[in-house]
PDB file of all heavy atoms in Angstrom:
ATOM      1  N   VAL D  14     141.245  37.831  60.061  1.00  0.00           N
ATOM      2  CA  VAL D  14     140.440  37.440  58.895  1.00  0.00           C
ATOM      3  C   VAL D  14     139.525  38.543  58.344  1.00  0.00           C
ATOM      4  O   VAL D  14     138.940  38.395  57.271  1.00  0.00           O
ATOM      5  CB  VAL D  14     139.572  36.190  59.221  1.00  0.00           C
ATOM      6  CG1 VAL D  14     140.427  34.936  59.199  1.00  0.00           C
ATOM      7  CG2 VAL D  14     138.858  36.336  60.553  1.00  0.00           C
ATOM      8  N   ILE D  15     139.389  39.636  59.093  1.00  0.00           N
ATOM      9  CA  ILE D  15     138.554  40.754  58.616  1.00  0.00           C
ATOM     10  C   ILE D  15     139.445  41.996  58.631  1.00  0.00           C
ATOM     11  O   ILE D  15     140.097  42.245  59.652  1.00  0.00           O
ATOM     12  CB  ILE D  15     137.333  40.995  59.542  1.00  0.00           C
ATOM     13  CG1 ILE D  15     136.513  39.709  59.721  1.00  0.00           C
ATOM     14  CG2 ILE D  15     136.448  42.106  59.014  1.00  0.00           C
ATOM     15  CD1 ILE D  15     135.384  39.819  60.747  1.00  0.00           C
ATOM     16  N   PRO D  16     139.516  42.754  57.557  1.00  0.00           N
ATOM     17  CA  PRO D  16     140.401  43.926  57.565  1.00  0.00           C
ATOM     18  C   PRO D  16     140.092  44.854  58.749  1.00  0.00           C
ATOM     19  O   PRO D  16     138.944  45.311  58.906  1.00  0.00           O
ATOM     20  CB  PRO D  16     140.105  44.618  56.225  1.00  0.00           C
ATOM     21  CG  PRO D  16     139.587  43.499  55.358  1.00  0.00           C
ATOM     22  CD  PRO D  16     138.819  42.585  56.284  1.00  0.00           C
ATOM     23  N   GLY D  17     141.096  45.071  59.582  1.00  0.00           N
ATOM     24  CA  GLY D  17     140.901  45.918  60.766  1.00  0.00           C
ATOM     25  C   GLY D  17     140.015  45.269  61.816  1.00  0.00           C
ATOM     26  O   GLY D  17     139.696  45.885  62.832  1.00  0.00           O
ATOM     27  N   GLY D  18     139.599  44.038  61.566  1.00  0.00           N
ATOM     28  CA  GLY D  18     138.758  43.323  62.530  1.00  0.00           C
ATOM     29  C   GLY D  18     137.299  43.736  62.521  1.00  0.00           C
ATOM     30  O   GLY D  18     136.514  43.296  63.351  1.00  0.00           O
ATOM     31  N   VAL D  19     136.920  44.603  61.568  1.00  0.00           N
ATOM     32  CA  VAL D  19     135.545  45.126  61.583  1.00  0.00           C
ATOM     33  C   VAL D  19     134.924  45.087  60.192  1.00  0.00           C
ATOM     34  O   VAL D  19     135.629  45.148  59.192  1.00  0.00           O
ATOM     35  CB  VAL D  19     135.514  46.593  62.083  1.00  0.00           C
ATOM     36  CG1 VAL D  19     135.885  46.680  63.546  1.00  0.00           C
ATOM     37  CG2 VAL D  19     136.421  47.482  61.248  1.00  0.00           C
ATOM     38  N   ASN D  20     133.615  45.049  60.173  1.00  0.00           N
ATOM     39  CA  ASN D  20     132.909  45.085  58.888  1.00  0.00           C
ATOM     40  C   ASN D  20     132.395  46.482  58.545  1.00  0.00           C
ATOM     41  O   ASN D  20     131.703  46.662  57.542  1.00  0.00           O
ATOM     42  CB  ASN D  20     131.782  44.050  58.890  1.00  0.00           C
ATOM     43  CG  ASN D  20     132.345  42.643  58.719  1.00  0.00           C
ATOM     44  OD1 ASN D  20     133.208  42.421  57.869  1.00  0.00           O
ATOM     45  ND2 ASN D  20     131.904  41.703  59.527  1.00  0.00           N
ATOM     46  N   SER D  21     132.698  47.462  59.357  1.00  0.00           N
ATOM     47  CA  SER D  21     132.435  48.867  59.053  1.00  0.00           C
ATOM     48  C   SER D  21     133.411  49.667  59.926  1.00  0.00           C
ATOM     49  O   SER D  21     133.505  49.400  61.133  1.00  0.00           O
ATOM     50  CB  SER D  21     130.971  49.209  59.360  1.00  0.00           C
ATOM     51  OG  SER D  21     130.603  50.421  58.748  1.00  0.00           O
ATOM     52  N   PRO D  22     134.178  50.598  59.325  1.00  0.00           N
ATOM     53  CA  PRO D  22     135.367  51.128  59.990  1.00  0.00           C
ATOM     54  C   PRO D  22     135.164  51.743  61.378  1.00  0.00           C
ATOM     55  O   PRO D  22     135.997  51.563  62.258  1.00  0.00           O
ATOM     56  CB  PRO D  22     135.878  52.192  59.006  1.00  0.00           C
ATOM     57  CG  PRO D  22     135.329  51.790  57.692  1.00  0.00           C
ATOM     58  CD  PRO D  22     134.023  51.101  57.969  1.00  0.00           C
ATOM     59  N   VAL D  23     134.083  52.470  61.583  1.00  0.00           N
ATOM     60  CA  VAL D  23     133.976  53.222  62.849  1.00  0.00           C
ATOM     61  C   VAL D  23     133.855  52.283  64.061  1.00  0.00           C
ATOM     62  O   VAL D  23     134.128  52.668  65.186  1.00  0.00           O
ATOM     63  CB  VAL D  23     132.834  54.263  62.755  1.00  0.00           C
ATOM     64  CG1 VAL D  23     131.482  53.616  62.863  1.00  0.00           C
ATOM     65  CG2 VAL D  23     133.008  55.359  63.786  1.00  0.00           C
ATOM     66  N   ARG D  24     133.489  51.042  63.817  1.00  0.00           N
ATOM     67  CA  ARG D  24     133.388  50.071  64.921  1.00  0.00           C
ATOM     68  C   ARG D  24     134.754  49.732  65.512  1.00  0.00           C
ATOM     69  O   ARG D  24     134.849  49.122  66.572  1.00  0.00           O
ATOM     70  CB  ARG D  24     132.742  48.768  64.431  1.00  0.00           C
ATOM     71  CG  ARG D  24     131.321  48.955  63.970  1.00  0.00           C
ATOM     72  CD  ARG D  24     130.734  47.646  63.442  1.00  0.00           C
ATOM     73  NE  ARG D  24     129.606  47.909  62.568  1.00  0.00           N
ATOM     74  CZ  ARG D  24     129.044  47.007  61.783  1.00  0.00           C
ATOM     75  NH1 ARG D  24     129.507  45.773  61.749  1.00  0.00           N
ATOM     76  NH2 ARG D  24     128.027  47.333  61.012  1.00  0.00           N
ATOM     77  N   ALA D  25     135.819  50.112  64.805  1.00  0.00           N
ATOM     78  CA  ALA D  25     137.171  49.755  65.256  1.00  0.00           C
ATOM     79  C   ALA D  25     137.675  50.654  66.378  1.00  0.00           C
ATOM     80  O   ALA D  25     138.757  50.427  66.906  1.00  0.00           O
ATOM     81  CB  ALA D  25     138.138  49.799  64.087  1.00  0.00           C
ATOM     82  N   PHE D  26     136.901  51.689  66.732  1.00  0.00           N
ATOM     83  CA  PHE D  26     137.300  52.617  67.813  1.00  0.00           C
ATOM     84  C   PHE D  26     138.545  53.428  67.443  1.00  0.00           C
ATOM     85  O   PHE D  26     139.285  53.869  68.331  1.00  0.00           O
ATOM     86  CB  PHE D  26     137.586  51.865  69.131  1.00  0.00           C
ATOM     87  CG  PHE D  26     136.346  51.490  69.920  1.00  0.00           C
ATOM     88  CD1 PHE D  26     135.095  51.438  69.330  1.00  0.00           C
ATOM     89  CD2 PHE D  26     136.442  51.187  71.275  1.00  0.00           C
ATOM     90  CE1 PHE D  26     133.969  51.079  70.056  1.00  0.00           C
ATOM     91  CE2 PHE D  26     135.328  50.833  72.017  1.00  0.00           C
ATOM     92  CZ  PHE D  26     134.098  50.775  71.396  1.00  0.00           C
ATOM     93  N   THR D  27     138.797  53.611  66.136  1.00  0.00           N
ATOM     94  CA  THR D  27     140.009  54.324  65.726  1.00  0.00           C
ATOM     95  C   THR D  27     140.080  55.712  66.351  1.00  0.00           C
ATOM     96  O   THR D  27     141.135  56.152  66.778  1.00  0.00           O
ATOM     97  CB  THR D  27     140.046  54.453  64.190  1.00  0.00           C
ATOM     98  OG1 THR D  27     139.789  53.155  63.652  1.00  0.00           O
ATOM     99  CG2 THR D  27     141.397  54.932  63.701  1.00  0.00           C
ATOM    100  N   SER D  28     138.950  56.419  66.399  1.00  0.00           N
ATOM    101  CA  SER D  28     139.053  57.797  66.867  1.00  0.00           C
ATOM    102  C   SER D  28     138.987  57.942  68.383  1.00  0.00           C
ATOM    103  O   SER D  28     139.310  58.998  68.908  1.00  0.00           O
ATOM    104  CB  SER D  28     138.011  58.689  66.183  1.00  0.00           C
ATOM    105  OG  SER D  28     136.745  58.174  66.389  1.00  0.00           O
TER     106      SER D  28
END
Side-chain angles (χ1 to χ4, degrees):
V14 283
I15 306 173
V19 292
N20 285 315
S21 196
V23 75
R24 296 178 201 168
F26 280 19
T27 311
S28 56

